[in-house]
Amino acid sequence: MTKIFDDRHEFEIVENVPKGYEIWNIGKNMIDGYLPLCQVIEGTYSINPDTLKAIKVEDAQVILSVGFCSLTIKGMERYVKRYSNSKTPIVQRRVERAKKSVRSNVYIKI
């Protein structure tokens, strides 16, 4: 079992998103090239820090930067469809990040 460590957490490296896990949107606080996964404690917004996992993904930081919409393929596609004609620069950047994340195909297994 391969593991990676940051200042505060230990992540087990996995090939696929295990059942019951979701992307832990911790933004730039994650080690580059890895997408963090966590189990949310039912009925709370807390995660179980003892069961953290990570997937090696080329565009991990791009995916984590899409924290403004749902971190699922369906949620990102819905965001792109709804806001792709926006004239607001920040929304245009968000749409581009969501499109790039969808193309990475990480979310298909979630």
Side-chain angles (χ1 to χ4, degrees):
M1 166 177 7
T2 306
K3 295 187 177 191
I4 59 172
F5 303 87
D6 69 4
D7 296 344
R8 302 177 343 190
H9 301 99
E10 174 181 316
F11 297 87
E12 177 186 347
I13 305 300
V14 294
E15 298 292 322
N16 299 308
V17 178
K19 185 176 182 175
Y21 279 78
E22 58 186 61
I23 295 172
W24 186 22
N25 191 12
I26 57 175
K28 295 185 184 294
N29 296 314
M30 184 58 183
I31 299 166
D32 284 343
Y34 290 92
L35 194 61
L37 306 172
C38 68
Q39 291 178 314
V40 176
I41 298 170
E42 190 173 335
T44 72
Y45 293 104
S46 300
I47 59 112
N48 183 345
D50 298 324
T51 60
L52 298 174
K53 302 195 183 305
I55 296 178
K56 187 164 183 61
V57 177
E58 185 175 316
D59 293 327
Q61 288 302 326
V62 173
I63 294 166
L64 290 172
S65 73
V66 186
F68 51 83
C69 67
S70 173
L71 289 176
T72 65
I73 286 282
K74 189 174 183 177
M76 285 188 222
E77 287 174 339
R78 193 171 38 243
Y79 186 89
V80 168
K81 184 177 179 181
R82 183 172 182 184
Y83 294 104
S84 61
N85 294 324
S86 174
K87 304 296 183 209
T88 309
I90 192 167
V91 175
Q92 290 172 346
R93 286 191 299 272
R94 288 176 174 176
V95 167
E96 288 308 309
R97 287 193 309 240
K99 284 180 182 177
K100 188 172 182 180
S101 294
V102 168
R103 287 191 300 265
S104 74
N105 292 322
V106 168
Y107 298 97
I108 290 174
K109 295 189 167 103
I110 294 179

